[in-house]
């Protein structure tokens, strides 16, 4: 039986920003058969009409770092609830991290995540497999079989691979699959037991600190290993001025090194921990204002390839524990876009096309997938954004099952109105039901 | 009480979480209030009705004898009913969270929670989650406010004032809640604080604190009016923060020999319990300069004052919300 074709969608009069193709102009865009079928001044002939006057029409956003907790911690998040959160945030593709319970360290688990993603039918679900079995940092996982099953890269995210010899072997082995190797840079010998940035605020609060050097030393080590192996390497959530310097050098040397930055490391500092609010407990920890400024400058320089939420849902009952005992993580997938605006556009660091580049084709390049563009014939993954709509973040209204979000109560600008995935409207904001033509 | 509180200052805090947020005025007010309770121990009937009908719970998640007994006695002298809750005899072992435990106790009508916990910030968490008053009896290596208050009280009692005094705090500053609370209290009261210990026992960015730092006890001991010897934390040895107890004692132990270089009227203090012969020689601990037992007696007056004040603030708050 042949599937009935999805209704065609005409997105009229929007500011079409397609950073990959250098496009930033007012145009109509027609979606048909799941693809971008026409761009320009178009007659009103389609099944569905979206009036995008004053709105931005962007390639669907890509987040290459989310935790959807399945399998194992479905009370915190499922691939279904995470997917709903993703499209509400404008994300048409996300990459699930493999630090689930048990970890995604085999082909069967990779297939399971894909299957749950297809069932959820919201956003495209990609998954990285672990670098080492059980994320233990000792034996290589079955990267080849996972690559065949569709794993898009490899990482032990949540912790870094401590042993340099294991990391060297992992990079060498992964190089034959042309997949990216991503690292959560953290040297445990310097960071173990820490719950916040090591510094004056940790001294005042009497909490064990994580030295910025823990991140920078592993990043430095990995860059040396990449010089040797030439494997594509991605530094996850860099958080310190020192890491920015290392990335800058590596890129100047032409190494295949990329990096990502999270909204919280662009907006929040260790000062926010002063009341022991565990919603600010995150790994890598919130650093200092100087680090925030260094990260923003790095973005201005173009050193940062991708913005990524590191969406890390946790139960209220877990976040209500003592600061030492509470888990690390911030859930921010549904409010990420306005947070990026606040951190980067409002202070004049970059403009919308530059911001959207780090949310579309640049992360796609890190992952080596042909997404994040809106050329004719490209798959119709699209976000329609009202760049100036003001709203107040209320985690209780999240699609995500978890509400561990330090931005609760923030009034922000920038709202996703429609998210179109493979030519279908998978999300529309309250009060924005599209009209038939 | 009235003769000691002849000011128009009104105490408004129903929690005592730390001393960092307190003003000099507030700290002095606690010390003045404690003075009114000091002579209590000498009375034949050691009881006042201030907390009659109130329930105080001692929630101690860490071993403690001195502080817990001191709070228990202080609460009883104010006629409160006291519940003792320790980690080993409670449902915490069965996985109940701190908040759940506290809410359960609160459901029984607890008015004041005194908490000792190994996690910094646990009292703050509690104060946000329950309506009762919360008193920090030591949280991780964050603060131990009543200890620093009794230290300041003892110094003031003997020296008259802390203004301009040079006070050394010797030992593992990095992991000491006593040191942190002392730094806040003593500097606010006008003293100069000198931290003494090896660099591995100094906290990160110690230079941002309003203190001086010395790695050598011998270099500063002759300048000190007061020396506060912290206890060696044996559990820290695993962290390789200093090579051996022997080497530590050699450089930082308060010996009779070393004390000879100090001012003759130096006050020797220690928060207890003592490791005799390690950070402090017995002869010094029991000698004429030692005020260690006086600290313990004063602790009682300080804790009575704190219990009294937080309760008063809670009563005022209740009045304000139901006029």
């Amino acid at each position: 039986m042949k599937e009935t074709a999805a209704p065609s969608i005409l997105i009229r009069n929007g500011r079409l920003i397609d950073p990959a193709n250098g496009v930033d102009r007012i145009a109509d865009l027609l979606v048909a058969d799941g693809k971008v079928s026409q761009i320009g001044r178009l007659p009103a002939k389609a099944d569905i009409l979206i009036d995008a006057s004053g709105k931005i029409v962007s390639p669907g956003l890509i987040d290459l770092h989310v935790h959807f907790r399945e399998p194992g911690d479905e009370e915190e998040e499922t691939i279904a609830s995470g997917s709903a959160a993703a499209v509400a945030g404008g994300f048409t593709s996300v990459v699930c991290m493999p630090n689930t319970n048990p970890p995604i360290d085999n082909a069967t688990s990779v297939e399971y995540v894909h299957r749950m993603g297809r069932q959820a039918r919201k956003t495209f679900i990609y998954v990285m497999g672990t670098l080492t079995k059980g994320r233990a940092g000792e034996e290589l996982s079955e990267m080849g079989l996972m690559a065949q099953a569709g794993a898009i890269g490899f990482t032990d995210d949540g912790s870094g691979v401590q042993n340099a010899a294991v990391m060297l072997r992992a990079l060498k082995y992964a190089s034959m699959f042309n997949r990216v190797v991503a690292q959560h840079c953290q040297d445990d010998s310097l960071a173990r037991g820490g719950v916040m940035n090591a510094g004056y605020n940790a001294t005042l609060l009497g909490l064990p600190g994580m030295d910025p050097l823990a991140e920078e030393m592993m990043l430095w080590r990995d860059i040396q290993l990449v010089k040797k192996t030439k494997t594509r390497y991605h530094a996850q959530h860099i958080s310190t001025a020192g890491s920015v310097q290392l990335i800058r050098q590596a890129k100047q040397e032409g190494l295949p090194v990329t990096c990502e930055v999270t909204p919280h490391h662009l907006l929040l500092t260790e000062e926010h921990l002063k009341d022991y609010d565990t919603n600010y407990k995150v790994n890598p920890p919130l650093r200092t204002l100087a680090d925030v400024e260094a990260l923003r400058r790095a973005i201005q320089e173009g050193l940062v390839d991708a913005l990524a939420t590191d969406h890390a849902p946790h139960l209220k009952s877990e976040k209500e524990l003592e600061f030492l005992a509470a888990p690390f993580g911030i859930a921010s997938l549904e409010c990420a876009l306005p947070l990026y605006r606040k951190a980067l556009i409002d202070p004049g660091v970059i403009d919308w096309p530059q911001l959207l580049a780090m949310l579309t084709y640049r992360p796609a390049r890190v992952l080596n997938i042909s997404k994040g563009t809106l050329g004719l014939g490209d798959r119709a993954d699209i976000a329609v954004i009202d760049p100036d709509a003001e709203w107040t973040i209320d985690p209780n209204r999240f699609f995500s099952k978890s509400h561990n979000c330090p931005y609760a109560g923030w009034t922000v600008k920038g709202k996703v109105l429609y998210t179109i995935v493979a030519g279908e409207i998978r999300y529309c904001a309250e009060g924005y039901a599209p009209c038939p033509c | 009480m009235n003769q000691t509180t002849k000011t128009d200052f009104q105490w408004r805090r129903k929690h005592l979480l730390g001393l960092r947020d307190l003003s000099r005025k507030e700290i002095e007010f606690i010390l003045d209030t404690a003075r009114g309770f000091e002579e209590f121990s000498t009375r034949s009937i050691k009881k006042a009705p201030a907390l009659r009908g109130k329930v105080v719970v001692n929630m101690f998640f860490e071993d403690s004898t001195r502080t817990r007994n001191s709070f228990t006695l202080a609460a009883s002298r104010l006629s409160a009913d006291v519940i003792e809750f320790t980690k080993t005899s409670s449902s915490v072992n069965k996985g109940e969270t701190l908040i759940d435990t506290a809410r359960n106790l609160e459901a029984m009508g607890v008015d004041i929670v005194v908490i000792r916990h190994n996690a910094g910030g646990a009292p703050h968490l509690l104060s946000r989650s329950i309506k009762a008053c919360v008193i920090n009896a030591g949280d991780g290596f964050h603060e131990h406010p009543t200890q620093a208050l009794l230290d300041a009280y003892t110094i003031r009692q003997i020296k008259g004032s802390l203004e301009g005094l040079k006070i050394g705090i010797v030992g593992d500053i990095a992991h000491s809640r006593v040191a942190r609370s002392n730094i806040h209290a003593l500097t606010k009261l006008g003293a100069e604080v000198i931290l003494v210990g090896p660099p591995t026992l100094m906290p990160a960015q110690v230079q941002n604190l309003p203190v001086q730092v010395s790695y050598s006890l011998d270099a500063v001991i002759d300048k000190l009016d007061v020396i506060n010897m912290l206890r060696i934390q044996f559990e820290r040895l695993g962290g390789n923060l200093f090579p051996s107890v022997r080497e530590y004692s050699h450089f930082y132990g308060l010996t009779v020999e070393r004390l000879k270089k100090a001012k003759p009227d130096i006050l020797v203090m220690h928060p207890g319990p003592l490791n005799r012969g390690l950070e402090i020689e017995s002869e010094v601990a029991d000698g004429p300069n030692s005020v260690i037992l006086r600290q313990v007696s004063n602790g009682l007056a300080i804790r009575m004052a704190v219990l009294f004040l937080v309760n008063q603030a809670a009563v005022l708050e209740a009045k304000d919300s139901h006029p």
Side-chain angles (χ1 to χ4, degrees):
Chain A
M1 201 175 88
K2 206 185 161 193
E3 256 184 74
T4 39
S8 59
I9 307 163
L10 179 64
I11 306 171
R12 280 187 89 174
N13 205 31
R15 176 182 172 191
L16 183 64
I17 301 180
D18 180 12
N21 295 312
V23 170
D24 181 3
R25 65 186 172 106
I26 307 293
D28 306 332
L29 185 148
L30 181 70
V31 174
D33 299 325
K35 295 196 158 54
V36 176
S37 104
Q38 289 183 61
I39 296 173
R41 286 224 158 269
L42 306 175
K45 268 197 215 161
D47 301 320
I48 295 171
L49 176 73
I50 290 174
D51 177 12
S53 308
K55 314 291 189 285
I56 290 172
V57 179
S58 162
L61 311 184
I62 299 172
D63 192 329
L64 46 63
H65 192 147
V66 302
H67 298 269
F68 283 177
R69 304 295 184 214
E70 204 175 347
D73 291 299
E74 288 84 355
E75 205 184 343
E76 295 178 333
E77 195 83 284
T78 60
I79 291 170
S81 64
S83 298
V87 289
F91 294 95
T92 56
S93 295
V94 300
V95 181
C96 294
M97 290 297 118
N99 62 336
T100 50
N101 187 16
I104 312 289
D105 63 356
N106 59 80
T108 310
S109 296
V110 168
E111 283 159 5
Y112 173 79
V113 172
H114 286 151
R115 178 155 54 84
M116 299 314 280
R118 281 194 303 274
Q119 278 177 18
R121 205 179 163 79
K122 289 285 185 190
T123 189
F124 278 102
I125 295 285
Y126 293 94
V127 62
M128 286 199 191
T130 65
L131 280 166
T132 65
K133 284 184 186 135
R135 285 178 62 243
E138 286 157 13
E139 299 170 66
L140 298 186
S141 57
E142 293 171 344
M143 286 187 249
L145 294 172
M146 286 195 282
Q148 265 185 358
I152 200 169
F154 301 102
T155 182
D156 275 4
D157 181 41
S159 47
V161 177
Q162 300 299 312
N163 184 309
V166 173
M167 189 60 190
L168 177 58
R169 262 176 251 134
L171 282 164
K172 272 188 182 170
Y173 193 75
S175 68
M176 72 171 151
F177 309 114
N178 193 22
R179 296 290 199 283
V180 67
V181 170
Q183 179 87 293
H184 177 145
C185 292
Q186 199 158 73
D187 183 320
D188 284 350
S189 69
L190 279 172
R192 188 178 288 125
V195 295
M196 67 177 290
N197 187 42
Y200 183 55
N201 281 278
T203 290
L204 289 178
L205 294 171
L207 292 173
M210 301 157 101
D211 199 300
L213 275 175
E215 175 173 317
E216 293 152 9
M217 283 177 56
M218 185 171 284
L219 179 55
W220 182 88
R221 179 201 76 179
D222 285 354
I223 289 169
Q224 311 316 306
L225 300 178
V226 169
K227 275 184 199 170
K228 196 177 168 75
T229 59
K230 303 289 189 280
T231 311
R232 282 195 293 126
Y233 172 88
H234 180 71
Q236 299 178 303
H237 43 49
I238 62 165
S239 68
T240 75
S243 292
V244 167
Q245 184 54 27
L246 290 165
I247 293 285
R248 183 182 289 119
Q249 264 170 17
K251 291 201 166 196
Q252 277 167 2
E253 289 175 38
L255 296 171
V257 169
T258 56
C259 71
E260 74 192 29
V261 173
T262 69
H264 41 275
H265 291 119
L266 290 169
L267 282 169
L268 308 173
T269 67
E270 56 177 11
E271 302 275 340
H272 286 93
L273 275 66
K274 64 181 192 310
D275 295 322
Y276 296 94
D277 184 343
T278 56
N279 280 325
Y280 294 97
K281 183 176 175 182
V282 68
N283 185 7
L286 301 177
R287 307 284 189 185
T288 66
L289 193 59
D291 294 301
V292 167
E293 283 166 358
L295 290 171
R296 289 182 178 188
R297 273 198 305 277
I299 283 172
Q300 198 162 39
E301 272 179 68
L303 289 175
V304 175
D305 300 273
L307 297 170
T309 56
D310 189 6
H311 176 77
H314 286 293
L315 296 175
K316 184 160 179 273
S317 58
E318 298 173 303
K319 280 289 193 181
E320 268 185 359
L321 295 172
E322 300 84 332
F323 200 92
L324 277 179
F328 293 103
I330 291 174
S332 62
L333 205 43
E334 285 159 79
C335 54
L337 187 70
L339 295 176
Y340 294 134
R341 176 193 160 130
K342 188 179 176 69
L344 299 170
I345 294 183
D346 292 351
V349 178
I350 51 170
D351 58 16
W352 275 104
Q354 288 167 306
L355 172 63
L356 293 172
M358 287 183 293
L359 288 165
T360 57
Y361 84 96
R362 294 186 69 191
R365 275 192 193 165
V366 171
L367 300 168
N368 197 27
I369 54 175
S370 52
K371 285 205 168 180
T373 62
L374 279 184
L376 285 175
D378 286 348
R379 182 152 54 183
D381 291 352
I382 300 170
V384 180
I385 299 157
D386 185 338
D388 298 316
E390 250 188 22
W391 59 290
T392 300
I393 297 171
D394 177 4
N396 292 317
R397 305 190 59 170
F398 282 177
F399 289 91
S400 168
K401 289 178 100 170
S402 290
H403 308 145
N404 51 307
C405 177
Y407 314 107
W410 284 30
T411 296
V412 290
K413 271 187 177 176
K415 191 177 170 73
V416 174
L417 303 182
Y418 303 94
T419 305
I420 297 168
V421 180
E424 282 181 17
I425 298 177
R426 300 269 173 92
Y427 170 80
C428 71
E430 233 178 280
Y432 286 88
C435 322
C437 270
Chain B
M1 285 307 305
N2 290 335
Q3 67 273 25
T4 62
T5 55
K6 267 184 284 177
T7 90
D8 32 2
F9 178 82
Q10 184 64 62
W11 180 266
R12 283 283 177 184
R13 292 178 189 268
K14 58 177 275 197
H15 308 300
L16 181 68
L17 304 178
L19 299 183
R20 184 156 75 96
D21 298 332
L22 264 56
S23 65
R24 175 177 185 149
K25 182 110 194 138
E26 286 174 303
I27 292 171
E28 284 173 341
F29 191 75
I30 301 174
L31 301 187
D32 291 343
T33 308
R35 199 190 304 146
F37 289 116
E38 191 191 319
E39 26 96 37
F40 244 76
S41 302
T42 60
R43 293 190 192 170
S44 61
I45 295 173
K46 302 179 173 68
K47 206 103 169 159
L51 295 186
R52 193 160 58 199
K54 301 288 177 182
V55 181
V56 175
V57 59
N58 275 335
M59 281 180 85
F60 276 62
F61 295 88
E62 266 186 1
D63 287 341
S64 160
T65 315
R66 187 174 326 246
T67 306
R68 188 157 56 83
N69 287 341
S70 181
F71 267 110
T72 304
L73 195 51
S76 330
R77 287 203 171 159
L78 295 173
S79 309
D81 296 316
V82 185
I83 301 173
E84 297 290 344
F85 171 99
T86 54
K87 193 180 178 178
T88 42
S89 68
S90 80
S91 50
V92 167
N93 290 336
K94 295 176 213 146
E96 190 177 52
T97 66
L98 173 63
I99 300 246
D100 282 339
T101 306
R103 283 180 186 150
N104 275 286
L105 286 166
E106 188 169 50
M108 297 178 205
V110 166
D111 299 286
I112 301 175
V113 177
V114 177
I115 179 174
R116 156 77 56 100
H117 200 287
N118 63 348
H124 302 67
L125 174 63
L126 216 52
S127 72
R128 282 197 299 269
S129 320
I130 60 173
K131 289 188 203 74
C133 302
V134 176
I135 298 173
N136 182 357
D139 62 328
F141 27 95
H142 173 232
E143 284 221 41
H144 190 352
T146 55
Q147 177 69 43
L149 288 167
L150 73 89
D151 291 343
Y153 187 87
T154 306
I155 298 167
R156 197 173 81 159
Q157 193 180 45
I158 298 165
K159 298 280 189 186
S161 156
L162 279 79
E163 202 67 58
L165 293 185
K166 287 191 165 55
I167 302 177
I169 304 175
V170 184
D172 183 355
I173 311 296
H175 303 98
S176 172
R177 52 192 173 217
V178 173
R180 278 176 183 72
S181 286
N182 261 285
I183 291 166
H184 301 314
L186 303 180
T187 55
K188 281 174 192 192
L189 294 172
E192 285 176 43
V193 171
I194 306 173
L195 305 179
V196 184
T200 46
L201 297 182
M202 290 294 161
Q205 292 175 24
V206 65
Q207 69 278 5
N208 291 357
L209 290 166
V211 296
Q212 290 166 265
V213 174
S214 172
Y215 302 142
S216 164
L217 180 53
D218 289 322
V220 297
I221 192 160
D222 60 326
K223 303 186 187 76
L224 301 177
D225 299 295
V226 178
I227 186 165
N228 195 347
M229 302 301 298
L230 300 177
R231 178 183 158 77
I232 297 181
Q233 313 260 338
F234 289 101
E235 62 270 28
R236 298 285 163 221
L237 274 170
N240 208 10
L241 294 170
F242 55 93
S244 68
V245 171
R246 181 182 143 88
E247 176 154 324
Y248 180 88
S249 307
H250 178 77
F251 288 108
Y252 301 104
L254 191 56
T255 58
V256 175
E257 271 315 296
R258 218 166 234 140
L259 198 62
K260 283 181 187 159
K261 289 187 269 180
K263 292 183 181 173
D265 62 344
I266 188 172
L267 299 186
V268 174
M269 306 179 83
H270 192 294
L274 301 169
N275 293 308
R276 288 176 181 269
L278 298 180
E279 72 266 358
I280 190 162
E281 273 188 354
S282 276
E283 216 176 307
V284 176
D286 304 330
N289 295 87
S290 168
V291 293
I292 295 171
L293 289 175
R294 178 115 57 132
Q295 287 174 270
V296 178
S297 319
N298 288 336
L300 197 56
I302 284 291
R303 288 172 181 124
M304 287 172 80
V306 169
L307 286 164
F308 175 80
L309 290 173
V310 296
N311 179 63
Q312 203 179 47
V315 170
L316 278 173
E317 190 186 275
K319 265 189 199 151
D320 288 352
S321 52
H322 306 286

